[in-house]
């Protein structure tokens, strides 16, 4: 949830930020990111536990991304 909130915050500040453009759709469903961004727009002190995250997708992508970066380095 922290990663989703951080990416949503980056997206609110700069929608064309390269990190936001790369990581947000890779790790999360776009609807979840956009919903979190809307929640943050309305209420800056919004509870970070609102929203739905596909944990399986997040962990699979994290694992594959980590393996890819280990091959490069």
């Amino acid at each position: 949830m922290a990663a989703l909130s951080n990416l949503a915050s980056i997206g609110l500040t700069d929608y064309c930020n390269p990190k936001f453009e790369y990581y947000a759709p890779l790790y999360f469903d776009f609807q979840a990111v956009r919903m979190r961004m809307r929640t943050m727009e309305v209420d800056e002190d919004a509870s970070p536990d609102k929203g739905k995250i596909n944990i399986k997708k997040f962990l699979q992508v994290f694992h594959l991304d980590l393996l890819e970066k280990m091959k490069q380095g």
Side-chain angles (χ1 to χ4, degrees):
M1 190 51 90
L4 177 62
S5 293
N6 288 335
L7 285 171
S9 179
I10 291 171
L12 283 174
T13 305
D14 181 11
Y15 200 74
C16 294
N17 184 305
K19 288 184 181 182
F20 175 77
E21 289 182 339
Y22 178 76
Y23 290 109
L26 185 66
Y27 282 88
F28 303 103
D29 295 327
F30 180 75
Q31 292 174 331
V33 176
R34 190 66 191 128
M35 184 185 303
R36 183 67 185 142
M37 288 171 67
R38 285 187 193 137
T39 303
M40 293 174 80
E41 279 179 326
V42 173
D43 183 12
E44 292 181 10
D45 297 327
S47 172
D49 61 343
K50 294 192 178 189
K52 185 176 179 182
I53 298 174
N54 186 343
I55 299 293
K56 183 177 178 180
K57 176 183 176 180
F58 180 87
L59 291 176
Q60 286 176 337
V61 171
F62 181 73
H63 182 249
L64 292 173
D65 198 26
L66 182 64
L67 290 176
E68 186 177 316
K69 288 183 181 185
M70 288 176 61
K71 287 180 185 176
Q72 292 175 358

